[in-house]
Amino acid sequence: MSIYVEQSFKERLSLLLDHEITQRDQRKIDRLTSLAKFRVGGTLGQLNYGAARQLDKPQIRSLAQGEWLRLHQNILITGATGYGKTYLACALGQNHCQQGSSVYYFRLKDLLEKMFLAQADGSYRKLINKLSSASLLILDDWGLEPLTAQQRSDLLELIDARYDTKSTLIASQLPIANWYEMIGKSTHADAILDRPVHRAIKLELKGESMQKKLNTLTEVDHSS
């Protein structure tokens, strides 16, 4: 307090302005994070870079800087169940919320259901506009089940609305080579895959299942 009193009016005013700017920035970050609705609270600082996972630390550090968002590139994360795809996707999304970017997270099945309901209640166009405006759209659990004709149509419209203007991150346990079959052998499949895969940054997670490892550690804690 004594230090504050000893400062000049100009210095005190500068401190108050800095505090207000910091508070305003934090409120924006909190709002963006809340709107994103991340499935897990991942952070890049807590990523496991064990050799078996083949995660390239310099590459992740580069992605954290956000140049790929400015260039409207996409990221495709693949790997078996439990390998940390959702965590990495949410950590990248959280990181870009911290930088002031708008992000939405969806499991693909939930998003397609949301789009179907929007068709019924007349809010479809509003939803498309909302999703197409986000700097980053995260589509998790991509490829868990084949798509219907209506789902292919809805997904194509969304992907097309974001193509070359925004970034999309897709996380899937299916290898990219199997995506065509999941979408369906149609002209829609060609159009849908051409857009997100074009110029995409591909991350394939490997190694021991992170979920299995976490469960093992938990069991040890409980038994000790």
Side-chain angles (χ1 to χ4, degrees), residues 11-25:
E11 289 173 328
R12 294 198 298 270
L13 180 60
S14 178
L15 282 174
L16 288 171
L17 287 174
D18 287 344
H19 178 71
E20 176 58 29
I21 291 172
T22 299
Q23 291 291 95
R24 189 178 303 172
D25 288 345

Side-chain angles (χ1 to χ4, degrees), residues 38 42 85 116 130 134 149-150 153 184 204 212:
F38 295 117
K85 300 180 298 297
F116 174 78
K130 172 185 171 181
Q150 182 60 55
S153 179
E204 184 180 0
K212 180 180 178 182

